[in-house]
Amino acid sequence: MSETLSSISKQWRLLDHSTLGLHFPPLDSFAYDDTLCTFVGRDHSLPTIRPWVHNQTIVLGIQDSRLPHIHDGIQHLHSAGYEVIVRNSGGLAVVLDPGILNVSLIMKENQSISIDLGYDMMYRFIQKALSPYKVSIEAREIAGSYCPGSYDLSINGKKFAGISQRRIRGGVAVQIYLCLTGSGGDRARLIRSFYEHAVKQSPTKYTYPDIIPTTMASLSSLLNEEIDVTKGLHLLLEAMLQENISLSTTAFSQEEHAWFLEQQVRLRKRNEKVF
């Protein structure tokens, strides 16, 4: 039986960084999710939905950071106007910008929430949120996209979202990036050019994606309607309310804030080592 958000809990916490995230470093988002995983995992906090948006940033995976000419790749991204960070979870390079809404669903890890069920829960949540548009959303790997995975979300074969997970200290963060506005093809071309500069036909220890820009699109272009971050967030929260979920907007406690500061320092030190 598939889990739903309401079967996890009828009460969720909303920590909205869809506008605030434009004013703090993107690396902090991963510190926030690790902090929330810890406190939700200990039953010290409600399961949490955290929408977040950042300015132009490329988030590399750990494997990306080990490419043979990584510093040339990073310099290329800097020259294109993008900040570069390395996240503390799996996956490969993705784009953050004001047209991309990221959402983290953070809940307590238990035996009923397997890795596949975590992915499936997010997939069903997005299906519900976009149900007013009566479109078929597939969950399958889209070859030629950046950061490809078995839970790429697509419409008519065009990827607009990707799902990842992080499990730490008894908590689970299921994360999705939703390309809402802008050009999916332009974002894909940027990531493709990063790999060209970071690899330069040198041998690599893993197979990086062969990116075909036409495999990716924004949700707005696929639905022929402007779906900006405000509209996207409204659709997601409406889907939660339809499940009779109540949302609270409790601020971080002193204990959570102290833990967040520790994670913030740890992640910054880790990125300094990479760069």
Side-chain angles (χ1 to χ4, degrees):
M1 178 179 176
S2 295
E3 294 277 4
T4 63
L5 301 192
S6 59
S7 69
I8 298 296
S9 176
K10 288 291 187 180
Q11 290 185 304
W12 283 68
R13 180 189 199 179
L14 170 63
L15 192 63
D16 185 5
H17 289 159
S18 61
T19 55
L20 286 176
L22 296 170
H23 306 290
F24 64 74
L27 199 60
D28 286 2
S29 267
F30 299 93
Y32 274 114
D33 280 3
D34 278 6
T35 299
L36 289 164
C37 275
T38 300
F39 281 80
V40 173
R42 294 174 177 173
D43 289 323
H44 292 170
S45 176
L46 289 171
T48 301
I49 177 170
R50 191 178 76 86
W52 43 288
V53 178
H54 290 290
N55 287 310
Q56 281 77 0
T57 304
I58 303 301
V59 183
L60 303 180
I62 294 170
Q63 289 178 311
D64 293 317
S65 71
R66 296 169 180 160
L67 288 169
H69 302 282
I70 182 59
H71 293 289
D72 289 343
I74 290 171
Q75 182 57 45
H76 172 70
L77 294 173
H78 284 165
S79 67
Y82 284 78
E83 184 177 348
V84 182
I85 63 172
V86 179
R87 66 176 169 273
N88 53 359
S89 54
L92 300 176
V94 298
V95 180
L96 303 181
D97 63 44
I100 294 177
L101 174 62
N102 302 271
V103 181
S104 299
L105 297 177
I106 298 160
M107 63 208 82
K108 183 179 176 65
E109 186 173 26
N110 60 54
Q111 291 182 342
S112 69
I113 306 176
S114 67
I115 291 175
D116 285 345
L117 277 175
Y119 283 119
D120 191 59
M121 182 187 304
M122 180 67 86
Y123 171 41
R124 291 175 182 275
F125 179 42
I126 299 303
Q127 281 183 311
K128 189 176 187 69
L130 297 179
S131 61
Y133 296 94
K134 307 206 182 300
V135 289
S136 175
I137 301 171
E138 289 189 283
R140 62 180 176 87
E141 183 171 327
I142 300 298
S145 66
Y146 61 69
C147 196
S150 57
Y151 273 85
D152 294 338
L153 301 190
S154 61
I155 296 172
N156 296 327
K158 304 276 189 180
K159 176 176 172 178
F160 68 91
I163 306 174
S164 62
Q165 280 189 67
R166 178 162 171 78
R167 291 169 178 250
I168 181 173
R169 299 186 181 93
V172 182
V174 185
Q175 302 158 322
I176 188 168
Y177 67 88
L178 293 155
C179 297
L180 298 183
T181 61
S183 170
D186 285 350
R187 294 181 179 112
R189 276 184 280 274
L190 178 65
I191 298 296
R192 183 175 66 181
S193 67
F194 158 72
Y195 284 119
E196 289 169 351
H197 283 79
V199 176
K200 297 182 180 178
Q201 299 181 333
S202 298
T204 59
K205 293 182 179 180
Y206 77 96
T207 303
Y208 61 91
D210 182 12
I211 296 172
I212 303 169
T214 54
T215 61
M216 303 192 71
S218 69
L219 191 59
S220 292
S221 65
L222 293 169
L223 298 179
N224 295 312
E225 180 180 324
E226 183 75 0
I227 310 291
D228 61 10
V229 166
T230 301
K231 175 69 171 176
L233 182 55
H234 172 79
L235 291 167
L236 293 168
L237 297 181
E238 182 63 29
M240 296 190 81
L241 295 176
Q242 287 175 11
E243 291 193 43
N244 296 316
I245 289 171
S246 62
L247 293 168
S248 67
T249 54
T250 312
F252 258 23
S253 65
Q254 288 186 340
E255 292 79 9
E256 285 174 314
H257 185 65
W259 192 272
F260 164 75
L261 293 177
E262 289 183 19
Q263 305 315 303
Q264 189 183 51
V265 170
R266 180 179 61 84
L267 285 167
R268 287 178 180 173
K269 286 182 176 178
R270 184 173 181 177
N271 269 249
E272 286 169 4
K273 287 181 181 179
V274 171
F275 298 133

